[in-house]
């Protein structure tokens, strides 16, 4: 592990110790803010249910992520090639994208039910936009002189796309993919809270109704860990793919 | 490997004694950008195998002329660009090296060098073999797998030149290839280029803003006028080849230089006076 990772880990531990100390020292009620030790203990007791819920949410998030990423990248490449179509479609995409996510969730539940499908579609939607906009920006932001060089070698639009635009767009595309990891988890959880019988969002919602705040915190802990892992995995991929930066 | 060696031989094969066949002929080539007349009636002929250097004040339209010859830009109606005596669509017909090296950071030295060959549809493996065989000539032996970020300015320029040579065209356009290099590296690169040129015989049109460089390299120096650019003066350089740096201090060299300096300075002063420099 790198030095930054160790430093982050050490910082986290100090923070947890501080949290524990403050909660105990001031005698804060557990339903306002439980101590980390309490959260960890509860997490351990309900680990079976949390693992199932976590697996469900992770499945929805990654399935939606995969679909959204593929569609976003494909659409970006298509619109990078077809300029007139881009001028028509792009303003609409930007308009739709500027509406807050959660606003669409009830519609997704209405149309696609309270099962995994509505979550996957919501996630795909959000990830798709993010990846699409980032990738398109990267595809269009190439050095015109490099385009001219490739054309002087006899390259056509596809040749320029493949040999120049796509590789130059990789950094922007991977930034989009990296920030999308956390967004995909957020969207899956929020949509679960609004309607489902499974997953971490549903666990949190149910625990709130039962006034079981330790279980709420335990679910948040699991969600955060999964989110962190997903983010770190794509971050590692990014460093491998974009090795020249 | 023998295959690559054969192809390298082919690249190195010198044609028969340079016949005076015209490779490139420009007649009345003009170009206007909105209100700016960049080129006005340029007439220029280049013989096969000739090394022509083009010099002129900055902004006089040298790069514009190159873009027209490379087929990247249309000349205004009325002008003619003839390659091998015939009007042709020029894209993909001449080996063009732009002012910046434009190496792709995700490709190593070999893969940058074969970019043009790859665009032509030549199999990658075959092109790589050929590039590997050429690496020594271009001072890149041992650096085949380095990335551009890891190279010095002179080496990057040699990779770009190798890419241009590997795009096997009779006519090469080099736009100030050594403009960004320090004086020592530049002098070394000039001698090296002459050596390479004498072995991989090509027709070269070379832009520079350095008079010494223009005379040292060229069979002929062409001076362009201040904008709107046209050909102000042509001077044959009959200094013997192979040329070495001692040439730069000979009276013959200095006589040519004095003659050209007058013309170039006159044009630079025009540019300066018009506030364009
Ligand atoms: N694409 C373009 N659009 C508008 N003006 C241009 C364009 N390209 C070149 N010019 C103008 O044409 C003139 C000649 O430019 P250029 O050929 O680059 O000169 P040089 O290479 O000799 O320095 C300059 O005044 C420049 O501003
Ligand atoms: Mg220029």
């Amino acid at each position: 592990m790198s030095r930054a990772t160790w430093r982050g880990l050490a910082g986290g531990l100090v923070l947890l110790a501080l949290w524990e100390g403050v909660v105990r020292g001031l005698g804060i009620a557990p339903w306002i803010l439980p101590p980390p030790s309490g959260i960890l203990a509860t997490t351990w007791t309900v680990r079976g249910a949390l693992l199932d819920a976590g697996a469900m949410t992770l499945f929805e998030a990654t399935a939606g992520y995969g679909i959204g990423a593929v569609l976003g990248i494909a659409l970006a490449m298509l619109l990078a090639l077809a300029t007139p179509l881009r001028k028509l479609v792009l303003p609409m995409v930007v308009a739709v994208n500027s509406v807050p996510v959660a606003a669409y969730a009830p519609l997704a539940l209405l149309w696609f039910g309270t099962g995994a499908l509505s979550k996957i579609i919501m996630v795909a939607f959000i990830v798709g936009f993010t990846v699409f906009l980032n990738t398109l920006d990267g595809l269009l932001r190439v050095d015109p002189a490099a385009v001219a060089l490739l054309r002087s070698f006899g390259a056509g639009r596809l040749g320029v796309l493949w040999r120049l635009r796509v590789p130059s767009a990789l950094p922007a595309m991977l930034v989009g993919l990296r920030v999308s990891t956390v967004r995909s988890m957020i969207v899956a959880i929020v949509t679960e809270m609004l309607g489902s019988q499974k997953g971490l969002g549903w666990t949190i919602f149910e625990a709130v109704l039962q006034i079981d705040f330790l279980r709420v915190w335990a679910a948040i802990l699991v969600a955060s860990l999964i989110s962190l892992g997903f983010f770190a995995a794509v971050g590692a991929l990014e460093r491998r793919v974009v090795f020249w930066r | 490997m023998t295959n690559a060696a054969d192809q390298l031989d082919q690249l190195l094969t010198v044609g028969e004694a340079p016949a005076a066949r015209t490779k490139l002929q420009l007649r009345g080539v003009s170009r206007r950008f909105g209100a700016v007349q960049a080129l006005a009636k340029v007439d220029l002929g280049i013989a096969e195998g000739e090394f022509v250097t083009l010099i002129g004040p900055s902004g006089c339209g040298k790069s514009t002329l190159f873009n027209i010859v490379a087929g990247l830009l249309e000349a205004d109606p009325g002008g003619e660009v003839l390659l091998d005596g015939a009007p042709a669509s020029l894209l993909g017909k001449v080996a063009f090296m732009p002012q910046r090296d434009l190496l792709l950071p995700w490709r190593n030295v070999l893969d940058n060098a074969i970019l043009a060959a790859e665009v032509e549809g030549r199999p990658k493996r075959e092109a790589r073999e050929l590039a590997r065989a050429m690496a020594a000539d271009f001072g890149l032996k041992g650096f085949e797998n380095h990335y551009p970020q890891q190279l010095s300015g002179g080496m990057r320029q040699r990779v770009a030149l190798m890419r241009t040579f590997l795009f096997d065209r009779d006519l090469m356009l080099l736009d100030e290839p050594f403009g960004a290099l320090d004086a020592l590296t530049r002098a070394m690169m000039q001698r090296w280029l002459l050596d390479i040129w004498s072995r991989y015989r090509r027709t070269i049109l070379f832009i520079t803003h350095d008079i010494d460089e223009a005379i040292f390299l060229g069979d002929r120096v062409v001076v362009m006028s201040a904008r709107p650019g046209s050909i102000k003066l042509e001077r044959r350089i009959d200094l013997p080849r192979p040329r070495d740096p001692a040439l730069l201090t000979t009276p013959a060299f200095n006589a040519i230089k004095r003659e050209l300096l007058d013309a170039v300075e006159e044009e630079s002063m025009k540019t300066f006076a018009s506030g364009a420099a």
Side-chain angles (χ1 to χ4, degrees):
Chain A
M1 273 194 283
S2 75
R3 238 165 110 168
T5 318
W6 283 116
R7 222 176 282 150
L9 224 55
L13 282 176
V14 170
L15 203 73
L16 283 180
L18 222 70
W19 176 351
E20 184 87 29
V22 167
V23 168
R24 283 172 189 248
L26 299 179
I28 295 174
W31 45 271
I32 295 177
L33 186 66
S37 57
I39 297 172
L40 283 175
T42 306
T43 308
W44 184 250
T45 342
V46 295
R47 61 188 182 277
L50 282 179
L51 261 157
D52 283 350
M56 187 65 199
T57 305
L58 181 62
F59 163 70
E60 292 162 352
T62 48
Y65 182 91
I67 294 168
V70 168
L71 291 180
I73 292 168
L75 185 64
M77 287 193 190
L78 178 71
L79 292 195
L81 282 176
T83 313
L85 188 64
R86 177 174 74 244
K87 301 225 158 106
L88 194 74
V89 173
L90 196 56
M92 298 196 291
V93 172
V94 172
V96 174
N97 187 46
S98 52
V99 177
V101 192
Y104 299 108
L107 291 177
L109 292 167
L110 187 67
W111 292 336
F112 306 109
T114 54
L117 185 63
S118 54
K119 284 82 194 171
I120 292 173
I121 287 174
M122 278 299 291
V123 172
F125 196 66
I126 299 312
V127 171
F129 274 120
T130 309
V131 173
F132 164 75
L133 289 172
N134 269 271
T135 307
L136 185 63
D137 188 53
L139 289 170
L140 298 181
R141 202 185 292 265
V142 292
D143 189 344
V147 176
L149 179 70
L150 266 117
R151 291 212 306 129
S152 84
F153 295 148
R157 275 164 176 268
L158 273 174
V160 173
L161 179 74
W162 185 241
R163 295 209 162 74
L164 182 67
R165 291 192 192 275
V166 169
S168 336
L170 284 176
M173 183 164 105
L174 274 133
V175 168
L177 285 171
R178 178 159 45 85
V179 301
S180 290
T181 56
V182 178
R183 282 188 203 175
S184 71
M185 285 295 290
I186 294 173
V187 171
I189 289 171
V190 167
T191 315
E192 282 171 355
M193 285 176 174
L194 291 171
S196 72
Q197 292 90 40
K198 276 179 179 162
L200 290 171
W202 174 74
T203 306
I204 292 171
F205 182 71
E206 194 199 35
V208 169
L209 289 184
Q210 295 170 3
I211 327 183
D212 186 353
F213 286 98
L214 274 168
R215 203 147 64 87
V216 173
W217 280 95
I220 291 173
L221 174 67
V222 171
S224 304
L225 287 177
I226 292 175
S227 216
L228 224 78
F230 194 5
F231 183 86
V234 174
L237 179 76
E238 181 183 5
R239 281 188 296 281
R240 286 194 68 129
V241 172
V242 191
F243 63 89
W244 63 90
R245 278 280 169 101
Chain B
M1 198 62 216
T2 50
N3 194 12
D6 281 353
Q7 292 193 18
L8 185 61
D9 262 2
Q10 232 168 350
L11 277 177
L12 281 164
T13 302
V14 179
E16 309 83 70
R21 226 156 58 87
T22 304
K23 188 82 220 164
L24 177 74
Q25 182 71 55
L26 305 179
R27 286 208 196 102
V29 171
S30 306
R31 172 74 202 206
R32 168 184 285 282
F33 295 107
V36 177
Q37 183 81 41
L39 294 173
K41 298 211 177 296
V42 172
D43 295 301
L44 181 66
I46 299 175
E48 198 162 66
E50 199 179 12
F51 196 137
V52 174
T53 49
L54 186 69
I55 189 164
S58 74
C60 75
K62 302 183 294 293
S63 293
T64 303
L65 185 67
F66 261 32
N67 285 327
I68 290 172
V69 176
L72 293 166
L73 203 62
E74 290 283 329
D76 288 341
E80 258 190 325
V81 181
L82 305 175
L83 193 65
D84 291 318
S89 149
L90 295 153
L91 268 181
K93 298 264 172 60
V94 299
F96 169 55
M97 177 169 162
Q99 212 159 345
R100 285 180 295 133
D101 60 55
L102 298 175
L103 298 179
L104 305 177
W106 54 86
R107 283 174 173 251
N108 65 18
V109 165
L110 280 189
D111 287 352
N112 262 294
I114 67 168
L115 180 64
E118 227 184 286
V119 169
E120 282 190 277
R122 201 193 269 248
K124 256 190 190 183
R125 268 197 32 194
E126 189 191 306
R128 281 205 190 107
E129 283 306 321
L130 188 55
R132 214 184 293 281
M134 281 170 84
D137 270 355
F138 285 76
L140 294 165
K141 190 129 202 88
F143 291 89
E144 291 91 340
N145 298 319
H146 282 55
Y147 284 86
Q149 312 77 284
Q150 303 171 296
L151 304 179
S152 67
M155 289 178 103
R156 292 179 63 109
Q157 222 55 14
R158 287 200 295 272
V159 179
L161 276 163
M162 185 157 137
R163 180 182 64 199
T164 316
F165 272 89
L166 262 169
F167 187 49
D168 192 7
R169 297 293 181 275
D170 297 334
L171 178 61
M172 287 181 45
L173 305 176
L174 310 181
D175 192 349
E176 298 195 29
F178 308 145
L181 302 179
D182 64 84
L184 284 176
T185 312
R186 169 188 274 242
M188 196 194 74
M189 293 285 288
Q190 289 166 355
R191 267 172 288 147
W192 169 82
L193 178 64
L194 283 185
D195 180 51
I196 288 280
W197 172 67
S198 67
R199 293 193 293 128
Y200 296 71
R201 205 79 191 187
R202 303 282 174 82
T203 311
I204 295 185
L205 183 55
F206 183 109
I207 292 182
T208 175
H209 52 232
D210 177 341
I211 295 197
D212 284 358
E213 180 167 85
I215 302 170
F216 184 69
L217 295 176
D219 290 322
R220 189 149 52 101
V221 176
V222 174
V223 179
M224 273 180 82
S225 68
R227 204 176 63 222
S230 60
I231 306 302
K232 180 185 173 77
L233 175 74
E234 296 185 33
R235 174 71 158 86
R236 181 152 293 286
I237 310 296
D238 32 28
L239 300 169
R241 292 187 188 271
R243 297 177 183 170
D244 68 73
L247 187 71
L248 292 164
T249 51
T250 59
F253 187 94
N254 278 318
I256 297 172
K257 186 173 171 180
R258 198 161 316 122
E259 194 183 318
L260 288 173
L261 210 51
D262 286 341
V264 170
E265 287 207 322
E266 194 182 316
E267 294 312 313
S268 298
M269 282 313 292
K270 281 187 204 161
T271 306
F272 184 71
S274 72

